[in-house]
Amino acid sequence: MAGIGRRGLIAASGALAAPALAQAPWPAGQTVAVVIPYAPGGASDVIGRIVTQTLSERLGGTFVMDHKPGASTSLAARLVARAKPDGLTLLLGTIATFTLTPLALRNPGYDPLADFVHVTHVCETLSVLVAHPRWASFEALIAAAKAKPDALSYATWGVGTTAHLPMLDLLSRVGAEMLHVPYNGAPPALTDTIAGRTDCMFALYAACKGHLEEGRLKGLAQPVATRPAAIPNVPTFAELGIPDFVYTGWYGVQAPAGTPRAITDRIERALTEGLAEPRIQAFMATQGIGPSAMGGAAAVARIERELPQNRTLMQRAGLSPE
């Protein structure tokens, strides 16, 4: 996906010029690192820019993205969990960080609940099963995979991620096999799928939008109940005869455990108000991103609900901790 710079994002959304809140000791005059658990250039950059610009505009201080990819997002999570709880280090964590990686790794190095203050969810993310254009349809891809088990491959950005688990589930449902090729981030996984070195992958729409529009990738199916307005030309799995295959991801903002409530409350309020701006919501919709600033208590409840659900999915897919 072509990068979206600061000027481009502001021009597209027109919503980040909100009045700054009254200055306070935090974060005035300080730089706050928002740690991104993925490599630069993916959907996390779009979401990260929305978050950092919203917080900078509304709270003052300087909020910057700090990419720390690796180990299925656990590297970034460990870094933030061990950081000083002073509000100067935050995490842009995901569904993988808190409900998949802790199950996929024997020792992720952090507790998904005890080691963090879950400030708020930020957004829901739409994903698409994309393939090299040599595959004209989902049916053609699966027929080839069944004919030659493990001759085809799928890319992910790590074991136990939101690109890996849905693919395992999907392949078990259709009775096919493919070789798993994990990468250190979504951009290199997309690069190799575009080049034809891997055949397909689940990708966030925000990351593959440009590639789909330019014909470098083919959208085969999407794991949603109904086709969203942002992706009207790609069928749902239900339309292709695989009912109940629905899978959406999410991003949220977390702080190290022990971060003062006064700080996390300011972050939550700024994001809740900022993401409610109609023009930000309109921009996010074009990227297949749905604002979801649900607050800390609801974020924790969702993680507590999804952990056992994903444990069941992993067991069903035959995925053991590594």
Side-chain angles (χ1 to χ4, degrees):
M1 182 191 74
I4 297 179
R6 187 176 193 277
R7 292 182 181 177
L9 177 57
I10 293 176
S13 67
L16 298 184
L21 297 177
Q23 291 295 323
W26 179 93
Q30 301 180 87
T31 298
V32 180
V34 179
V35 179
I36 311 292
Y38 298 108
S44 58
D45 275 11
V46 178
I47 299 165
R49 287 191 180 101
I50 292 170
V51 168
T52 55
Q53 290 172 33
T54 297
L55 292 176
S56 292
E57 293 288 347
R58 290 181 170 268
L59 298 179
T62 302
F63 289 78
V64 298
M65 295 190 295
D66 184 10
H67 294 87
K68 299 291 183 185
S72 301
T73 77
S74 68
L75 189 154
R78 291 195 302 267
L79 185 153
V80 174
R82 297 167 186 170
K84 185 176 180 180
D86 55 5
L88 299 183
T89 306
L90 305 175
L91 177 67
L92 186 65
T94 71
I95 183 175
T97 313
F98 296 102
T99 74
L100 294 173
T101 298
L103 305 174
L105 301 182
R106 293 186 186 278
N107 183 23
Y110 62 93
D111 185 293
L113 293 170
D115 288 342
F116 300 90
V117 178
H118 290 272
V119 181
T120 184
H121 278 351
V122 172
C123 63
E124 307 278 338
T125 54
L126 295 177
S127 63
V128 183
L129 178 64
V130 298
H132 185 271
R134 64 173 170 263
W135 300 110
S137 67
F138 175 73
E139 293 87 349
L141 177 76
I142 296 304
K146 289 181 176 180
K148 295 183 178 181
D150 289 334
L152 276 64
S153 62
Y154 66 95
T156 74
W157 49 86
V159 174
T161 61
T162 50
H164 187 205
L165 184 59
M167 199 68 193
L168 287 174
D169 189 12
L170 176 63
L171 291 173
S172 73
R173 290 181 186 229
V174 299
E177 296 180 18
M178 292 186 192
L179 177 67
H180 176 212
V181 183
Y183 291 82
N184 189 21
L190 279 168
T191 296
D192 272 12
T193 303
I194 291 167
R197 287 184 284 271
T198 53
D199 293 282
C200 64
M201 66 179 289
F202 273 104
L204 296 184
Y205 179 66
C208 66
K209 179 176 183 285
H211 301 307
L212 290 170
E213 292 172 346
E214 297 296 328
R216 292 184 291 270
L217 288 170
K218 172 74 174 178
L220 300 184
Q222 48 183 324
V224 291
T226 58
R227 299 190 193 191
I231 324 173
N233 299 321
V234 178
T236 68
F237 281 99
E239 293 176 68
L240 298 174
I242 308 174
D244 302 321
F245 189 72
V246 176
Y247 205 95
T248 58
W250 52 260
Y251 279 73
V253 170
Q254 298 80 29
T259 300
R261 178 72 178 268
I263 290 176
T264 59
D265 280 353
R266 293 198 78 210
I267 297 169
E268 179 184 344
R269 184 168 66 252
L271 288 173
T272 299
E273 294 173 354
L275 295 176
E277 290 280 354
R279 286 170 289 181
I280 283 188
Q281 294 197 354
F283 170 73
M284 293 175 79
T286 67
Q287 306 297 310
I289 302 169
S292 179
M294 62 174 60
V300 169
R302 182 169 184 174
I303 292 168
E304 290 175 336
R305 181 175 67 252
E306 290 184 352
L307 271 169
Q309 291 174 347
N310 286 333
R311 181 178 288 110
T312 299
L313 285 175
M314 286 185 162
Q315 291 171 344
R316 186 185 303 162
L319 182 64
S320 300
E322 295 188 348

